[in-house]
Amino acid sequence: MQSSDEPPYHHGNLRAALIAAADAIIAEKGIEGFSLREAARRAGVSPGAPAHHFGTAVGLLTEVALLGYASLGAALNAVPITDDPATDLRAQALAYVGFALAHAGRFRLMFRPDLVNRDDPRYGAAATAALAGFAGTVARSSGGQGDGMAQVFVVWSSIHGMANLALDGKAQYLFDGATPQQFAAQILPDLLAKSWPFGC
Amino acid sequence: MQSSDEPPYHHGNLRAALIAAADAIIAEKGIEGFSLREAARRAGVSPGAPAHHFGTAVGLLTEVALLGYASLGAALNAVPITDDPATDLRAQALAYVGFALAHAGRFRLMFRPDLVNRDDPRYGAAATAALAGFAGTVARSSGGQGDGMAQVFVVWSSIHGMANLALDGKAQYLFDGATPQQFAAQILPDLLAKSWPFGC
DNA sequence: ATGCCCATCTTAACGCTGTTCAGATGCCAA
DNA sequence: TTGGCATCTGAACAGCGTTAAGATGGGCAT
């Protein structure tokens, strides 16, 4: 009996191994570099093995996307809450964009409807759970006035749009060829403080 | 001699035929339903034929994406300009989201860095040209105060985020299971007028 | 008008992909 | 110990993008 769970047993906890392998591939090569066969290869099993655990490739990728929402939620929950909702909103926006750039593969996967099973009830739950703290900040920021859902949508859209544009290199075009990382670290904080309507 | 250019000549204006076929496939099945071989099939040529005109599949898809930016620009330029920049901004936002939903395949392709050759100089030019009128509205809206680039980025992010969230069915989750089309037609206009900070 | 050149397209092949299915494997419970 | 059954293998299939060698024929120089 080994203390490590690397080569677990006869065949082992293949399910977890495949999820980890898929996540690693996506982190290394991006979502377009993923292939089910390579995930199987890394887990040391035959190409047909994943089918029994996940059905299809979408089944496996859905699990990775669920992990992605969990880690996004963790990143958002990690920002300290102050008594100024606007400050918190800026910090959460920065965390959101930072997560998208730091885990580009995961982030892209999370919003790829063709690669994820949206009918899985855990999917919607994971998304709302990830944004729960963020929705709370929006509610505190508005003081309960106005349409709550609309406000969450508007603020989320703004942050999500910044993340996507930065990820796709569009910010690079507007801001003197700054890389996405330079943009997030140097330009975005000032921008949120001075030009972002939700940052007061 | 035929008046129609359908089966043009010996082999014909294959380049245009392939672009049209690719655009049609994407409109029918979405970007994930595209395949280079099917585009060749529809154009009535062998699988290897596109290579000479576009090099790789990305070459062909880049052309379709350029058409996409042109049509997005046309949609944005089609909104009438009033003397109230906030009104214009709302109308342009509605047009942007409407375009994304009406031409989902094109729109998704336009922001897929793995399917488009970002090094093509026409690509950046097409993107900025499409947003030129929009950037003008932002400038009029701010009265020339503040960082222009930052303002364009912030407003564009907001609109782009709404389009993406609507397209991915996230709005569906926040607004009582409304379909993307219902959302754009019934919910979004009110939302832009009442909860959108750029709509005054 | 004729002949050559060269862009264009075909055919065939390579290696890769996701998925399926019959059969082998070996753990766990009885 | 033995049977049942979840698990995994190995091979196959169709489809994909891309490449290379060869056929095809239109347009240009002569």
Side-chain angles (χ1 to χ4, degrees), chain A residues 73-141:
Chain A
L76 290 179
N77 286 334
V79 332
I81 297 300
T82 71
D83 52 358
D84 178 25
T87 300
D88 298 350
L89 223 43
R90 286 200 307 270
Q92 286 175 322
L94 215 49
Y96 192 100
V97 177
F99 176 90
L101 296 180
H103 308 95
R106 272 188 183 177
F107 185 80
R108 287 216 158 94
L109 169 61
M110 287 157 58
F111 294 93
R112 279 285 295 271
D114 55 316
L115 299 183
V116 160
N117 179 17
R118 301 243 277 303
D119 297 336
D120 191 318
R122 297 172 300 159
Y123 185 69
T128 42
L131 295 174
F134 162 71
T137 304
V138 172
R140 280 189 298 126
S141 176

Side-chain angles (χ1 to χ4, degrees), chain B residues 140-178:
Chain B
R140 280 189 298 128
S141 177
S142 69
Q145 291 185 341
D147 184 344
M149 285 299 176
Q151 286 168 346
V152 169
F153 178 76
V154 165
V155 183
W156 184 18
S157 290
S158 175
I159 297 174
H160 188 64
M162 293 190 293
N164 274 286
L165 291 182
L167 209 50
D168 291 344
K170 305 293 186 186
Q172 178 177 348
Y173 198 85
L174 289 174
F175 299 101
D176 272 345

Side-chain angles (χ1 to χ4, degrees), chain A residues 9-10 35-37 41 47-48 56-57:
Chain A
Y9 201 12
H10 153 55
S35 97
L36 185 57
R37 288 182 104 105
R41 230 174 281 137
T56 171

Side-chain angles (χ1 to χ4, degrees), chain B residues 75-89:
Chain B
L76 291 179
N77 285 333
V79 332
I81 296 301
T82 71
D83 52 358
D84 178 25
T87 299
D88 298 349
L89 223 42

